[in-house]
Amino acid sequence: MEYFEIVEHVPDKSGKGFLIAAIDFKDPKFIRVLASEEPKAYTNIAVNGNRAYFGEKEIGTVVDRKDSSQVKVSTDYDIKYTGGYSLDGKTVYLDEHFPKILRVEGKEISTEESIGLHHELPEKWLSDLGYEYPHAHEIATGIEKKYVESKGVTWKGYCTEVDKNLRLVYRNTLEKSPPSLDLAPYLYCRDREALKEIRESK
């Protein structure tokens, strides 16, 4: 049995029930379930194969599933926003100058895991499903937070270390941007200077 945290549910367009989006933040893994009933008091959903359950009650079927096993993390490029993803979602990017390991409160945190696989990747999954960038970013930040806290450090301590490096990366002039970088975050933020720099450095 696998367990996922529900991040959103909406009525299914067919009128047959509810479409539930849920994430296992540890791996991470993402599913969508077509359920016969609304979660209401439930915050988690259990899955066995393609069958989904609230508690012991079977309530629906998994209709979409994604995980990080087929995704590559690349640190070969300059990324203005530190992290990013390819248009096809098969590659997650982390700026080559950003530390691969952050030392936070006496512990080591892999940024390929925390930023790459536990923020950028879920953000891409959600964006591809039609979530607007701010909403996808907010959910992805929550997933990153859960992952970091599961490693025994505080979110505040982690963010302090991340922010130091974010500012340094953003100030760098891009020299080598990935040709397949998804520009959706930059377009949403209307960051014209960053977009110009990215396009000139491909």
Side-chain angles (χ1 to χ4, degrees), residues 51-185:
R51 296 180 176 182
Y53 301 82
F54 288 154
E56 296 182 357
K57 182 180 180 182
E58 185 174 347
I59 50 82
T61 304
V62 176
V63 294
D64 190 18
R65 182 188 290 266
K66 300 179 187 295
D67 63 51
S68 60
S69 63
Q70 302 299 315
V71 177
K72 173 188 174 184
V73 178
S74 171
T75 58
D76 298 330
Y77 296 95
D78 300 320
I79 307 296
K80 199 67 174 175
Y81 285 179
T82 296
Y85 31 79
S86 60
L87 287 165
D88 64 9
K90 294 180 179 179
T91 305
V92 170
Y93 301 109
L94 188 67
D95 184 87
E96 65 176 341
H97 303 102
F98 198 87
K100 307 301 181 293
I101 298 292
L102 290 179
R103 288 169 178 80
V104 183
E105 298 168 352
K107 293 185 169 62
E108 293 187 346
I109 303 295
S110 164
T111 54
E112 291 186 19
E113 285 284 342
S114 64
I115 297 174
L117 296 181
H118 289 84
H119 183 105
E120 300 299 336
L121 182 56
E123 183 179 287
K124 175 61 173 172
W125 288 341
L126 294 166
S127 295
D128 283 351
L129 290 173
Y131 285 65
E132 290 192 1
Y133 172 71
H135 193 189
H137 180 75
E138 180 183 1
I139 293 172
T141 299
I143 294 165
E144 181 183 2
K145 180 175 184 288
K146 285 180 179 291
Y147 173 78
V148 166
E149 290 176 341
S150 77
K151 295 300 180 181
V153 302
T154 65
W155 180 241
K156 181 179 179 181
Y158 170 78
C159 287
T160 297
E161 294 303 315
V162 168
D163 289 348
K164 289 177 187 175
N165 292 283
L166 285 178
R167 288 190 289 271
L168 292 173
V169 167
Y170 191 81
R171 286 200 295 265
N172 288 339
T173 299
L174 300 180
E175 295 181 0
K176 184 175 58 174
S177 293
S180 61
L181 182 66
D182 190 333
L183 299 179

